[in-house]
């Protein structure tokens, strides 16, 4: 799964937990499409609440390969408003330029070490 898609799932985690019931078609579809194994399905179903089931699914999905996010979107037939929200967040993540956080992130490790230990930098 792409880093952008992982970030989308992470940023909407609580909303997904409160709006999505994974026990029905979602689990079966993800299993049918090879995203989840039988063990995954059993682990998720063994959770005591719907929220825990959804959280476990969200923990597993990022580890299930490059098709996991799109297949998850396809599985949301019963929750079209959730699918739309995920797609919109994904589009916004694509449109935002990546933040470099300033010059420090662009420095190599030896450059940052030299920068940090230069007398004019107070160290």
């Amino acid at each position: 799964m792409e880093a952008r898609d992982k970030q989308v799932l992470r940023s909407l985690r609580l909303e997904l937990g409160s709006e999505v019931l994974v026990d029905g078609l979602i689990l079966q579809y993800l299993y049918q499409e090879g995203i989840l194994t039988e063990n995954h399905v059993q682990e998720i179903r063994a959770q005591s609440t719907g929220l825990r089931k959804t959280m476990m699914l969200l923990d597993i999905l990022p580890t299930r390969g490059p098709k996991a996010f799109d297949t998850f979107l396809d599985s949301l037939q019963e929750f079209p408003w959730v699918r739309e929200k995920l797609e919109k967040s994904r589009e916004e993540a694509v449109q935002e330029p990546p933040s470099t956080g300033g010059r420090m992130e662009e420095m190599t490790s030896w450059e940052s070490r030299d920068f940090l230990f230069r007398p004019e930098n107070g160290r």
Side-chain angles (χ1 to χ4, degrees), residues 71-85:
T71 307
F72 178 59
L73 289 179
D74 292 342
S75 76
L76 294 171
Q77 297 168 11
E78 297 176 312
F79 305 95
W81 66 94
V82 175
R83 180 185 173 126
E84 289 171 15
K85 191 178 296 188

Side-chain angles (χ1 to χ4, degrees), residues 31-84:
Y31 176 69
Q32 171 188 297
E33 297 301 311
I35 300 301
L36 297 179
T37 65
E38 189 173 340
N39 286 340
H40 289 133
V41 173
Q42 289 174 359
E43 270 186 80
I44 292 167
R45 284 196 172 143
Q47 299 303 305
S48 58
T49 66
L51 176 62
R52 287 180 187 253
K53 290 174 184 181
T54 303
M55 292 300 145
M56 178 164 275
L57 175 63
L58 294 176
D59 289 341
I60 293 170
L61 274 178
T63 69
R64 300 307 297 160
K67 295 180 182 177
F69 189 84
D70 287 322
T71 307
F72 178 59
L73 289 179
D74 292 342
S75 76
L76 294 171
Q77 297 168 11
E78 297 176 312
F79 305 95
W81 66 94
V82 175
R83 180 185 173 126
E84 289 171 15

Side-chain angles (χ1 to χ4, degrees), residues 3-4 7 90-103 105-106:
R4 165 199 65 180
Q7 177 56 38
R90 187 187 214 188
E91 287 173 19
E92 290 171 356
V94 170
Q95 293 172 359
E96 292 175 12
S99 171
T100 60
R103 168 80 177 117
E105 280 185 19
E106 296 173 12

